[in-house]
Amino acid sequence: MMSRQAFLCGLGSLYLSLLFVFLLMDVYARPANNSALKEKPADSKDENEILPPDHLNGVKMEMDGHLNKEFHQEVFLGKEMEEFEEDSEPRKNRKKLMVIFSKVDINNDKKISAKEMQRWIMEKTDEHFQEAVEENKMHFRAVDPDGDGHVSWDEYKIKFLASKGFNEKEIAEKIKNNEELKIDEETQEVLDNLKDRWYQADNPPPDLLLNEEEFLSFLHPEHSRGMLKFMVKEIIRDLDQDGDKKLTLSEFISLPVGTVENQQAQDIDDDWVKDRRKEFEEVIDANHDGIVTMEELEEYMDPMNEYNALNEAKQMIAVADENQNHHLELEEILKYSEYFTGSKLMDYARNVHEEF
């Protein structure tokens, strides 16, 4: 009779043998690479350097039409937002928030008015602008291999495809010789959209060559009025269901493509609809006629719109203004710290006066 130890060893050998067979089957069953030009997976950092980001700091809506969930923190904290994300110690975060409060309170009356908050929002938004400008200098150098101060569409296309895993030298040779590129459908669609954006960023007279400033508009449309219009058109095109180039509430709150599979997903979708409905009715639809035009959406999206900044300041104050004096005291900001900083500060009241 076989011993228990021998039986278990036999099972282990059988398992390893089956695993090896399945691994071989998996390797040979995988579809062949549809392009001989592909050589390795793209490095996400390289790709992010040349691909327009979906998220734009200090802009109320993402490039894909989703609301920017971190907008309040971005326009209240500016560059210091990362410090609050990385440092979760309540005492240190309280001190940082107190320092910010003193900077916003320029007349030192121990409370923040809507005008003071508006000035601060504009200042923090400009910080994000300057950060984008500095990053753009580095990104522009990455796609301007000959250093002539201009990037052609072909130069950019080569760098983009290289970031997606294609062999850069082979791609460059094929483009130079006007040979057909074997590119998968998804990558080609992205390229087509990027080329439309490239045309829009190319200031008159159009030559398909972008200088550093035009490349900034390409990556960050919020820096250019013309590109901001283009971004708005793209968002409306994606959300507009009847083709009238306007958005109704039902179009704006329509759920993204996908199926709700469980109650948790349903709750997430309900919150998504609730947030979008509130933003549509209270902020974007300026004249409250139930329709959002391109002009209204453009004003809403413009991060340097002073009226929007004042409106945002009033809304931010209203969230934490418990004594209803239309100002923010330090205690109120500390109590509602999660709204302003994304960081929840516990036992804020106990330490307020002794620290500040």
Side-chain angles (χ1 to χ4, degrees):
M1 189 173 185
M2 183 182 294
S3 69
R4 177 181 176 83
Q5 184 176 2
F7 176 72
L8 291 175
C9 286
L11 278 179
S13 299
L14 177 61
Y15 172 77
L16 290 174
S17 299
L18 287 172
L19 179 62
F20 181 70
V21 170
F22 284 131
L23 287 173
L24 284 177
M25 289 173 65
D26 179 58
V27 169
Y28 288 109
R30 290 174 189 165
N33 195 331
N34 65 351
S35 172
L37 298 175
K38 279 210 172 179
E39 56 181 5
K40 61 181 179 180
D43 181 270
S44 58
K45 184 178 183 298
D46 290 340
E47 182 178 343
N48 289 338
E49 287 182 351
I50 61 174
L51 189 64
D54 177 58
H55 177 75
L56 303 171
N57 288 329
V59 179
K60 298 199 74 171
M61 192 176 284
E62 311 286 13
M63 298 276 238
D64 60 4
H66 285 67
L67 299 179
N68 177 5
K69 293 294 186 180
E70 297 182 334
F71 176 76
H72 296 126
Q73 289 91 358
E74 289 170 356
V75 296
F76 185 72
L77 297 177
K79 293 180 180 179
E80 295 173 345
M81 184 175 175
E82 292 180 4
E83 295 181 21
F84 276 84
E85 291 174 349
E86 295 170 1
D87 185 0
S88 59
E89 188 177 335
R91 187 179 180 86
K92 287 184 179 179
N93 281 347
R94 273 198 303 274
K95 288 183 176 179
K96 291 175 187 174
L97 194 49
M98 291 172 186
V99 170
I100 291 175
F101 181 90
S102 65
K103 290 179 179 178
V104 183
D105 179 25
I106 54 175
N107 64 0
N108 298 315
D109 65 352
K110 306 302 181 186
K111 57 188 178 184
I112 294 173
S113 67
K115 280 290 185 182
E116 286 174 324
M117 183 68 85
Q118 177 199 30
R119 178 198 64 84
W120 182 257
I121 289 173
M122 296 294 289
E123 187 177 310
K124 295 297 108 178
T125 302
D126 187 61
E127 266 187 23
H128 290 304
F129 266 45
Q130 295 308 315
E131 187 177 19
V133 169
E134 290 303 311
E135 288 178 353
N136 182 69
K137 291 179 181 178
M138 176 182 66
H139 301 163
F140 185 76
R141 287 195 295 268
V143 295
D144 182 23
D146 54 15
D148 65 353
H150 293 84
V151 178
S152 70
W153 168 249
D154 282 345
E155 283 177 328
Y156 177 81
K157 184 177 179 179
I158 291 167
K159 290 293 183 182
F160 170 75
L161 289 174
S163 77
K164 301 294 285 185
F166 291 83
N167 184 292
E168 185 171 342
K169 289 183 178 179
E170 290 185 32
I171 284 286
E173 190 67 24
K174 284 182 176 292
I175 288 178
K176 180 181 177 181
N177 298 327
N178 293 317
E179 296 179 29
E180 181 184 356
L181 301 178
K182 294 180 180 179
I183 301 173
D184 59 274
E185 187 175 339
E186 182 180 351
T187 302
Q188 186 59 55
E189 184 178 350
V190 173
L191 265 177
D192 291 341
N193 290 334
L194 288 174
K195 191 169 186 179
D196 288 342
R197 184 185 295 272
W198 192 272
Y199 274 107
Q200 292 296 323
D202 185 16
N203 291 328
D207 55 6
L208 281 186
L209 295 174
L210 299 191
N211 58 29
E212 188 174 311
E213 183 179 347
E214 291 169 329
F215 193 72
L216 175 64
S217 297
F218 173 72
L219 290 184
H220 289 271
E222 75 274 21
H223 284 254
S224 161
R225 196 69 188 185
M227 286 299 291
L228 193 63
K229 288 178 182 288
F230 179 70
M231 182 166 66
V232 166
K233 287 180 181 178
E234 285 189 314
I235 290 174
I236 287 186
R237 180 198 64 196
D238 292 340
L239 301 178
D240 180 21
Q241 297 172 7
D242 59 12
D244 65 353
K245 298 182 180 180
K246 300 175 184 178
L247 296 179
T248 62
L249 175 60
S250 62
E251 288 173 328
F252 192 72
I253 67 174
S254 293
L255 293 174
V257 177
T259 305
V260 176
E261 298 177 350
N262 52 47
Q263 186 58 46
Q264 184 179 7
Q266 179 66 61
D267 292 342
I268 292 173
D269 284 342
D270 288 345
D271 289 341
W272 193 85
V273 170
K274 180 182 176 183
D275 290 343
R276 291 180 77 83
R277 179 188 294 275
K278 186 175 186 294
E279 199 72 9
F280 183 99
E281 294 177 338
E282 298 181 12
V283 185
I284 309 176
D285 182 15
N287 62 2
H288 304 292
D289 65 352
I291 299 290
V292 164
T293 62
M294 284 191 178
E295 290 74 21
E296 284 177 319
L297 189 57
E298 187 181 330
E299 290 302 307
Y300 168 80
M301 294 285 288
D302 183 2
M304 295 307 290
N305 184 315
E306 293 188 12
Y307 173 79
N308 282 354
L310 180 59
N311 192 36
E312 187 63 37
K314 291 176 180 177
Q315 288 184 47
M316 292 173 74
I317 288 174
V319 167
D321 184 20
E322 289 194 337
N323 62 11
Q324 299 294 300
N325 68 348
H326 306 295
H327 289 71
L328 284 181
E329 277 78 35
L330 177 59
E331 290 85 351
E332 291 171 328
I333 283 188
L334 287 170
K335 184 172 182 179
Y336 290 86
S337 63
E338 194 166 12
Y339 174 81
F340 294 99
T341 70
S343 175
K344 194 170 185 178
L345 308 183
M346 305 303 292
D347 299 327
Y348 73 95
R350 188 170 58 194
N351 301 287
V352 168
H353 298 292
E354 64 188 54
E355 290 183 354
F356 190 64

